[in-house]
Amino acid sequence: MNRMMILSKPALHQGFEQQRSLHHVGIHEFVHLLDKADGSTDGHPEALLPPPLLSPWVKLMHREIAAIKAGRSDINVYGSTNEAEFFSVVSEYFFQQPERLEKNHPALFDMLEKIFRQDLA
Ligand SMILES: [Zn+2]
């Protein structure tokens, strides 16, 4: 995680081959690096998110992580490991299946559009 990302080649290929899958190791690990741009891999992307949105983002993360833990979410359960894994896991979802994320988690979709400066709608 210091200036270098090491990926399994078969796992990376798998992410590109399964278009509809929510899993993409390349996106997952790259988002950890983006998260770390402010110095810490903590799921708080201070380098990407305007400061006024940081607190709403953290509240949203806590709500979504609680829903995963309660079995009331289609987000990969690995995302409930901690905030850093949550950020990477929902970023995979965002880029792999944006329409489904927008439908099932509109607030999360809006926030990730701002974080990544994307307009996937
Ligand atoms: Zn991870």
Side-chain angles (χ1 to χ4, degrees):
M1 294 295 285
N2 284 305
R3 298 173 53 224
M4 187 186 294
M5 177 164 64
I6 298 172
L7 297 170
S8 149
K9 196 170 167 183
L12 184 61
H13 283 179
Q14 205 173 32
F16 286 103
E17 281 158 13
Q18 298 174 343
Q19 281 283 309
R20 305 305 293 171
S21 165
L22 291 180
H23 304 292
H24 195 297
V25 71
I27 294 170
H28 184 103
E29 298 306 327
F30 188 66
V31 167
H32 278 318
L33 290 179
L34 289 175
D35 185 10
K36 203 188 178 190
D38 57 48
S40 53
T41 313
D42 56 4
H44 301 197
E46 279 104 335
L48 304 172
L49 199 57
L53 290 177
L54 196 58
S55 167
W57 166 247
V58 172
K59 284 192 188 107
L60 183 58
M61 270 200 300
H62 291 171
R63 207 164 66 221
E64 295 282 353
I65 288 172
I68 298 170
K69 286 182 172 169
R72 288 185 285 102
S73 179
D74 66 338
I75 296 170
N76 184 340
V77 71
Y78 189 62
S80 67
T81 306
N82 56 45
E83 294 176 358
E85 296 307 337
F86 177 81
F87 182 35
S88 277
V89 164
V90 296
S91 298
E92 290 177 79
Y93 194 158
F94 178 72
F95 286 108
Q96 292 287 86
Q97 293 201 17
E99 303 89 355
R100 183 173 150 194
L101 182 69
E102 187 177 23
K103 182 170 166 275
N104 294 348
H105 308 271
L108 193 53
F109 180 85
D110 280 356
M111 200 62 95
L112 289 166
E113 272 197 323
K114 290 184 177 80
I115 290 172
F116 294 117
R117 297 173 177 85
Q118 297 291 309
D119 185 2
L120 297 184

